[in-house]
Amino acid sequence: MIIEYAIFFALIGFCLLLFFLSERQYKPRQHTPRDKCESPIERRLYDGLLARGYSPLTQVPCGKYRIDIALVSHKLAIEADGKAFHSSPQQKARDKRRDAFLRNNGWRVMRFSGRQIFRELNSVLDRIEKEISS
């Protein structure tokens, strides 16, 4: 009798395992705008905006450029500048051209360094909210 119970529960466990594996296998992965974030600083800023009730989009195309994080309803482009890609004179000049292009296409542009995003996220979010309300 004990062996029959053991076999019965082993079969139940095996069936449950197969069920959960098949659910996982056939359920397509939901992609979110967060999945498009290209760096840890973008993810941190995205999460902060989400926590404050905003619906940020990431890597939003605008002409030949992509906006790191956009609050489309407010037409606000937020750029998260990592030191490696935004510190040389050539990169700074490129960022100025990009900002001018975005502004000419109706976007307000804000830039934050990775250092600001990691060390002063609440201050960064407050500045974004101030820009939105102005």
Side-chain angles (χ1 to χ4, degrees):
M1 187 75 162
I2 293 175
I3 292 175
E4 293 161 343
Y5 278 119
I7 292 171
F8 174 75
F9 285 110
L11 285 172
I12 294 290
F14 184 70
C15 289
L16 286 171
L17 176 66
L18 288 177
F19 173 76
F20 287 118
L21 288 176
S22 68
E23 281 292 304
R24 188 172 173 205
Q25 179 181 8
Y26 294 114
K27 197 176 273 187
R29 184 166 187 268
Q30 302 270 334
H31 290 284
T32 66
R34 188 181 195 276
D35 294 333
K36 293 182 184 178
C37 289
E38 294 182 339
S39 69
I41 59 175
E42 286 180 24
R43 280 188 289 281
R44 182 163 167 77
L45 185 53
Y46 175 88
D47 291 342
L49 288 165
L50 208 59
R52 291 222 180 167
Y54 295 98
S55 300
L57 296 179
T58 55
Q59 304 307 318
V60 175
C62 184
K64 65 180 183 177
Y65 300 107
R66 287 182 298 151
I67 299 168
D68 289 343
I69 299 175
L71 297 176
V72 178
S73 61
H74 301 284
K75 205 73 167 157
L76 180 62
I78 305 167
E79 296 297 321
D81 295 342
K83 192 173 185 176
F85 296 104
H86 299 274
S87 55
S88 76
Q90 297 89 348
Q91 292 162 333
K92 288 180 182 182
R94 186 193 67 222
D95 287 343
K96 283 184 181 184
R97 286 191 304 273
R98 172 196 191 100
D99 290 357
F101 178 86
L102 292 173
R103 285 189 180 103
N104 288 336
N105 283 278
W107 289 90
R108 292 183 286 172
V109 180
M110 296 185 81
R111 289 190 169 275
F112 298 100
S113 68
R115 180 183 205 133
Q116 289 173 304
I117 293 168
F118 272 113
R119 293 187 177 176
E120 308 160 14
L121 182 61
N122 283 326
S123 174
V124 166
L125 295 171
D126 290 343
R127 287 178 54 196
I128 291 169
E129 288 182 328
K130 186 176 178 182
E131 178 69 25
I132 288 170
S133 65
S134 64

